[in-house]
Amino acid sequence: MPGKWDWLKDEIGFSNLLTGGRMIFKVVQGKLSADDLTKCALCPNMCRHACPVSIVEGRETTSPAGKARIALMIREGRLELNLDNLEPLYTCLGCDLCTLYCPFEFSVADLIRPVKEEAVSRGVVFEEFRKVFENLETSGDIYGNADSGADGSGKVLYFRGCTVRNERPELAEKTLTLLDKLGYEAFTISETCCGLPAYNLGNTELFKKVAKRTAEKLNATGAELIVTSCPSCAYTFRVLYPKYGIKLKPQVLHITELLGEVIGGLKLKGAGTVTYHNPCRLAMHLGRRGLLKSLLENVEGLEIREPRRELFCCGHGGSAVSRLKPELAKEIAAERREQLRDGAARVVTACPSCELALNGDGLEVLDIVEFLLEMMEE
Amino acid sequence: MTLTFDEVLKRPKRGSVDEAIAELKNLLGDKVSTKPADLFSYSHDYWLITFHWLLKGKVPALPDAVVFPESEEDVVNAVRVAHEKGVPLYPYGGGSGVLGGTVPEYGGIVVDLKRLRDLRLYEDDLMVEAGAGVNGYYIEEYLNRRGYTLGHFPQSLYPSTVGGWVATKAIGQFSTRYGGIEDMVLGLRAVIPPGKLIELKPHPRTATGPDLRKLFVGSEGIFGIVTRVWLKVRPYPEERFLLSFASESLEEALDSVRRILHRGARPAVVRIYDRVETKRHFYKFEELYGKIGTVIIVEGDSRLARAEKEIVEREFKGVPAGEEPVRHWLETRFNVKEISEFAPIGVVIDTIEVAVNWSRAAELYENVIRAMKSVKGTLMASAHASHFYDQGVCFYFTFAGVPPRGRSAGEFYNAVWDAAMRATLDSGGTISHHHGIGRHRRGWLAEELGDAYEVLRKVKLAIDEKDVMNPGNMVM
């Protein structure tokens, strides 16, 4: 079978090897390549339709390729590294939906990260982020509320995460109840943040510091398994910690992953119609795209409707947008609500941030744990 | 301004720009931006040569402000202020135009319409109403969920907007059945100088004089700003057939399609690739390699589609190559990556689309390929035929090359384009089929239009007497 580039060899021929043809052959042989940020910057935005920011804000500057172009210009010294020019780069949810349509499978968030890191290292930081950094440094919690809870012990540690602890403590209770019903004697500890907010905002040094502190504490519990309600925490523990050489001894599962292993043995009955919202971290970053839906399929008598779009960020991922441009985050959530409403008025999700962002305005959004508990009771 | 580009090809400012911006900020508040990052972002569209400039630290132009209207009233205000102050105004959709149509050549104000994105379907009338800023993928997804399709799939479907399609007279890959955007526009609203919102209602047909709707289709923003459109929709196709063929010659494949169309069949997709492009796109399919490859999609109502499939199979003189090549095409048709891979190392690539009647189709193909290859530095030139009509065909040429020593990327680029445009005109073709004119092609428009060029110029100035609407685009 002919190779991918044989046509080019036939067309260009040896006579052109002494001229420009040599460069082209180097490219096809993989010996010459532009860097990824440049490649992204030269794209006509073929992933624009997947980017919630781009669809809702509609500003060329914050389109995926637009962000890459700004980052490239800053990197090349043609745009100054200042807050005005950094703002488009922080108008990225980090949802990585762009990767789904990119022929190179680029993550724009990853491509522009070095510019954010450079900005933080040079002290060019938005006021809105300074407070986050300060909270993480001092209290180990993004809200600045140090966890004063007691440290339990056992084999299964339930890690609540900053958002659950501060905004949805009742979900923590329900998750512990469900774990108990499943036969896991889960315990909690006085937590510190996984560090992801610092990472998202480009403060990689702080991320590493917070992550090391948290990993040490988690390792010291002697737990064999960590279960979280927050897909961001699970992603950070499983993907980012190893990437930065931070060792976490216990296995880590998001609650949906644990449920995926045991749900077949549960008796679940329901009625009515639900749709679901796939959290980006779970679907994209942990690669569990079909998991939430498959959990719902175990509920007898339940009608599951597909959302208009399978994947669309709630607007609150990545921390930066909701802090820097809260109105835009709300608009994106409203857009997602509209898409979900096409499916049903009841929505099941599996991320506390998504749940908080999407609930309301005629839509009832529940965490998978709450929903399954309800189905068990019926 | 903190830009440090070493060369900005910006002309002297026209009109009272600072006054206009101040007034717009007063009227529209934070819907007006003068931030450097925004100005830079609207300094270009997808005119490929500008990316070579960009990589060398040059931008083609910079606007003085960008406006993000959220209503037609905002657009009226923008046009009114621009007209009063004599300041250039450039409408902006998805920025995927490839000829510099939205490059703010004279500075001034860019109007990004992407926040006008409301949608409404009228099922009884088989019609959809859309704000100019509605994203291409969005409108199709919206219609599909309700059992309809627009049938409009340009390669820019994902990044482009409905308003951009109308303004640039776009066409989609399924055009042989569904037509170009001009066949879908039932009505539209536009804001014209001195700041007036006009509406051309979406009637099924109207004999109220010349078709003013058509004046705006393909107008590229030189008359006004399209804010809302009504488009025909179709029921989502009930059945779809995928067919492909290997032919020994381009003439044989072209002749086959001509016969199919003349019998009245209307496949949605027909694409005939020359030998180079068949090798390039279908290298995995041995039955096509080294041949002229054709992919065809027939779709629609089941019974009609079956009849059309039968006509295609009977009339196409070539070896059937099955469904897989078409599936491959469907899967890869939006994979745009060549520019990203080759432009940064100095390879100049571009595409040129022209149209010609059947009687001179093969001749034009040969002449344009020969002309492009005759330019020193050209390394490859190829084509496929991508849109078909009873009367003729659109050829979509691709060239790539490296400027010879002593010649800039821009000079090489212009030389290849000159050769291709000259060969097209000499072969009886039209210089653009669907990319439009923009700033790059305007030099050839007068010859194409002859005396009609002056008519176009006069119409432009009759509507826009101060020449504030996208000045320098299409007509000078």
Side-chain angles (χ1 to χ4, degrees):
Chain A
M1 185 189 290
K4 184 181 174 186
W5 295 106
D6 283 356
W7 68 275
L8 196 55
K9 290 176 193 162
D10 294 348
E11 181 64 4
I12 291 177
F14 288 107
S15 60
N16 279 318
L17 277 179
L18 294 174
T19 60
R22 199 172 36 189
M23 284 160 67
I24 292 185
F25 279 116
K26 280 186 179 174
V27 175
V28 303
Q29 287 166 350
K31 292 177 183 168
L32 189 61
S33 178
D35 69 279
D36 293 349
L37 182 63
T38 303
K39 285 183 185 171
C40 184
L42 296 187
C43 175
N45 260 319
M46 295 303 278
C47 61
R48 185 206 299 276
H49 64 298
C51 171
V53 166
S54 200
I55 287 299
V56 172
E57 191 184 48
R59 186 161 61 121
E60 211 54 34
T61 320
T62 54
S63 66
K67 286 194 271 268
R69 287 168 198 160
I70 298 296
L72 182 67
M73 289 302 107
I74 293 175
R75 192 186 76 182
E76 302 298 310
R78 295 190 182 117
L79 276 173
E80 195 182 323
L81 184 70
N82 60 28
L83 293 181
D84 263 357
N85 294 334
L86 281 169
E87 180 257 358
L89 307 190
Y90 282 106
T91 312
C92 174
L93 296 161
C95 64
D96 277 355
L97 298 182
C98 46
T99 62
L100 293 172
Y101 293 90
C102 176
F104 301 104
E105 296 181 17
F106 289 152
S107 151
V108 174
D110 284 348
L111 295 180
I112 63 180
R113 169 172 303 286
V115 177
K116 292 181 188 174
E117 288 175 345
E118 174 72 13
V120 173
S121 73
R122 284 166 55 178
V124 188
V125 175
F126 286 96
E127 273 312 307
E128 290 87 341
F129 301 165
R130 285 190 195 280
K131 188 69 184 165
V132 177
F133 297 157
E134 190 188 313
N135 287 344
L136 288 174
E137 282 269 16
T138 55
S139 64
D141 175 84
I142 50 170
Y143 299 88
N145 302 323
D147 187 1
S148 55
D151 287 344
S153 65
K155 288 183 180 175
V156 180
L157 166 63
Y158 170 53
F159 188 88
R160 293 157 290 168
C162 300
T163 304
V164 169
R165 276 193 296 108
N166 286 278
E167 304 279 343
R168 291 277 280 124
E170 65 276 25
L171 178 60
E173 293 305 315
K174 288 177 180 173
T175 307
L176 286 166
T177 303
L178 181 70
L179 287 170
D180 191 51
K181 286 189 180 209
L182 296 174
Y184 297 99
E185 288 176 24
F187 70 97
T188 60
I189 56 165
S190 164
E191 290 179 5
T192 48
C193 178
C194 65
L196 187 65
Y199 181 81
N200 283 338
L201 301 177
N203 196 340
T204 310
E205 288 310 308
L206 178 60
F207 161 70
K208 287 191 276 191
K209 194 173 162 186
V210 174
K212 275 180 193 161
R213 189 167 61 189
T214 298
E216 277 169 19
K217 174 133 200 179
L218 294 173
N219 288 336
T221 65
E224 291 171 5
L225 174 67
I226 297 173
V227 182
T228 76
S229 287
C230 177
S232 291
C233 296
Y235 160 78
T236 308
F237 292 149
R238 285 228 301 259
V239 180
L240 289 185
Y241 278 23
K243 186 177 164 188
Y244 287 90
I246 299 163
K247 287 201 171 72
L248 199 58
K249 290 178 194 163
Q251 184 194 6
V252 178
L253 291 176
H254 182 251
I255 187 73
T256 52
E257 296 175 301
L258 181 72
L259 287 167
E261 291 174 9
V262 301
I263 198 158
L266 299 178
K267 285 186 179 169
L268 300 164
K269 277 192 177 175
T273 308
V274 292
T275 188
Y276 55 91
H277 168 77
N278 262 324
C280 303
R281 289 280 177 209
L282 183 67
M284 296 296 301
H285 300 102
L286 292 175
R288 300 289 192 164
R289 201 162 153 176
L291 183 55
L292 187 56
K293 187 185 171 193
S294 73
L295 292 179
L296 294 173
E297 283 168 348
N298 283 280
V299 182
E300 194 187 319
L302 188 69
E303 187 191 346
I304 304 155
R305 292 231 183 106
E306 302 279 334
R308 189 198 309 170
R309 274 200 173 185
E310 187 202 351
L311 297 168
F312 196 91
C313 181
C314 68
H316 289 65
S319 313
V321 178
S322 55
R323 287 174 193 282
L324 205 55
K325 300 172 102 176
E327 286 309 311
L328 175 61
K330 282 182 198 165
E331 272 190 78
I332 293 168
E335 173 74 29
R336 182 53 172 163
R337 269 198 293 273
E338 198 57 40
Q339 296 170 7
L340 294 167
R341 245 193 294 271
D342 264 10
R346 221 166 184 221
V347 182
V348 179
T349 191
C351 168
S353 295
C354 296
E355 191 200 326
L356 290 167
L358 296 173
N359 229 320
D361 201 13
L363 215 60
E364 185 193 6
V365 186
L366 299 136
D367 188 89
I368 182 73
V369 165
E370 297 176 293
F371 187 74
L372 291 184
L373 273 176
E374 194 185 301
M375 299 298 108
M376 287 167 91
E377 284 161 10
E378 283 182 12
Chain B
M1 174 62 71
T2 54
L3 285 167
T4 56
F5 295 104
D6 55 2
E7 184 183 350
V8 179
L9 308 172
K10 188 175 164 188
R11 303 211 174 158
K13 288 182 183 180
R14 283 174 46 171
S16 309
V17 173
D18 295 338
E19 284 178 29
I21 294 171
E23 188 170 345
L24 283 171
K25 281 190 170 174
N26 190 37
L27 287 165
L28 305 175
D30 60 6
K31 288 179 266 187
V32 180
S33 172
T34 50
K35 290 182 176 177
D38 284 326
L39 303 187
F40 163 71
S41 296
Y42 293 89
S43 65
H44 53 79
D45 53 10
Y46 206 63
W47 185 9
L48 295 180
I49 193 64
T50 62
F51 286 93
H52 287 267
W53 301 346
L54 183 66
L55 293 167
K56 289 188 185 310
K58 303 171 185 175
V59 289
L62 284 171
D64 295 288
V66 185
V67 173
F68 302 96
E70 292 178 0
S71 66
E72 286 175 323
E73 190 189 346
D74 289 346
V75 181
V76 168
N77 277 323
V79 173
R80 183 180 57 73
V81 170
H83 176 82
E84 281 172 8
K85 306 293 181 189
V87 172
L89 205 65
Y90 312 86
Y92 201 101
S96 58
V98 290
L99 293 159
T102 64
V103 169
E105 188 179 1
Y106 296 96
I109 296 157
V110 169
V111 181
D112 187 332
L113 295 146
K114 286 195 283 287
R115 288 186 73 89
L116 302 183
R117 56 188 195 95
D118 53 313
L119 271 169
R120 187 171 172 192
L121 175 68
Y122 300 88
E123 292 195 70
D124 287 348
D125 300 329
L126 270 185
M127 179 172 82
V128 66
E129 179 182 348
V134 173
N135 174 268
Y137 177 88
Y138 245 67
I139 190 169
E140 185 61 22
E141 177 198 59
Y142 170 87
L143 292 171
N144 290 172
R145 280 190 64 82
R146 289 158 178 81
Y148 299 93
T149 181
L150 198 59
H152 187 73
F153 303 96
Q155 198 175 32
S156 64
L157 180 74
Y158 296 163
S160 59
T161 62
V162 168
W165 293 346
V166 174
T168 59
K169 205 173 187 177
I171 199 164
Q173 294 156 341
F174 286 54
S175 71
T176 302
R177 178 175 188 81
Y178 300 105
I181 198 73
E182 71 276 18
D183 301 305
M184 300 171 192
V185 174
L186 286 162
L188 57 84
R189 279 158 81 147
V191 179
I192 58 171
K196 199 171 190 61
L197 179 66
I198 59 165
E199 180 173 307
L200 298 162
K201 296 184 183 73
H203 299 303
R205 186 175 188 270
T206 173
T208 48
D211 193 344
L212 294 176
R213 295 172 300 184
K214 292 281 165 74
L215 192 61
F216 288 90
V217 179
S219 62
E220 300 184 17
I222 66 169
F223 301 138
I225 300 180
V226 174
T227 54
R228 174 172 300 271
V229 294
W230 287 269
L231 299 167
K232 291 178 193 171
V233 300
R234 321 273 180 119
Y236 195 82
E238 198 175 32
E239 188 143 22
R240 177 180 271 189
F241 298 105
L242 311 181
L243 304 141
S244 70
F245 299 92
S247 303
E248 290 302 327
S249 71
L250 184 67
E251 287 85 346
E252 181 185 285
L254 288 170
D255 198 48
S256 296
V257 175
R258 184 180 58 79
R259 280 198 311 277
I260 290 165
L261 295 184
H262 286 189
R263 289 203 60 175
R266 283 288 175 277
V269 175
V270 184
R271 297 170 80 85
I272 302 173
Y273 295 85
D274 71 3
R275 281 181 214 283
V276 175
E277 295 205 6
T278 302
K279 285 181 184 175
R280 176 181 160 200
H281 295 292
F282 302 102
Y283 64 92
K284 288 177 184 166
F285 302 94
E286 282 181 37
E287 58 276 40
L288 291 178
Y289 204 79
K291 310 281 185 191
I292 301 293
T294 300
V295 295
I296 293 178
I297 297 177
V298 177
E299 68 177 30
D301 173 88
S302 247
R303 278 177 290 184
L304 288 172
R306 261 181 259 141
E308 290 188 308
K309 173 178 173 270
E310 201 182 307
I311 292 173
V312 170
E313 286 172 331
R314 187 176 300 169
E315 295 293 344
F316 208 101
K317 304 299 176 211
V319 179
E323 294 186 358
E324 284 310 309
V326 196
R327 248 187 265 287
H328 171 74
W329 174 76
L330 281 167
E331 283 163 13
T332 55
R333 64 195 168 125
F334 295 122
N335 282 1
V336 176
K337 58 195 288 197
E338 281 81 6
I339 299 304
S340 297
E341 285 182 313
F342 292 107
I345 59 153
V347 177
V348 177
I349 305 174
D350 206 356
T351 56
I352 302 174
E353 29 57 71
V354 302
V356 64
N357 291 342
W358 286 115
S359 55
R360 300 188 70 179
E363 175 195 342
L364 179 138
Y365 166 81
E366 295 292 344
N367 289 346
V368 174
I369 292 282
R370 194 181 308 116
M372 291 196 295
K373 282 185 171 174
S374 73
V375 177
K376 198 174 176 194
T378 302
L379 294 167
M380 60 84 57
S382 62
H384 60 273
S386 51
H387 307 272
F388 296 83
Y389 308 86
D390 281 344
Q391 290 70 33
V393 57
C394 157
F395 280 113
Y396 194 94
F397 294 94
T398 299
F399 72 87
V402 176
R405 195 161 290 169
R407 218 167 190 192
S408 70
E411 286 166 338
F412 168 70
Y413 177 77
N414 285 334
V416 181
W417 265 88
D418 273 331
M421 292 292 92
R422 183 77 268 139
T424 298
L425 289 165
D426 290 348
S427 307
T430 177
I431 58 169
S432 177
H433 175 265
H434 60 272
H435 286 174
I437 299 300
R439 280 169 174 74
H440 179 53
R441 255 186 181 135
R442 67 187 172 198
W444 294 285
L445 188 61
E447 184 175 347
E448 161 105 14
L449 293 182
D451 289 344
Y453 181 78
E454 194 51 25
V455 176
L456 176 66
R457 216 178 62 82
K458 281 184 174 166
V459 172
K460 150 78 173 166
L461 293 175
I463 296 172
D464 177 24
E465 61 183 88
K466 290 187 181 173
D467 191 22
V468 295
M469 292 308 309
N470 206 353
N473 191 59
M474 197 171 344
V475 285
M476 292 298 284

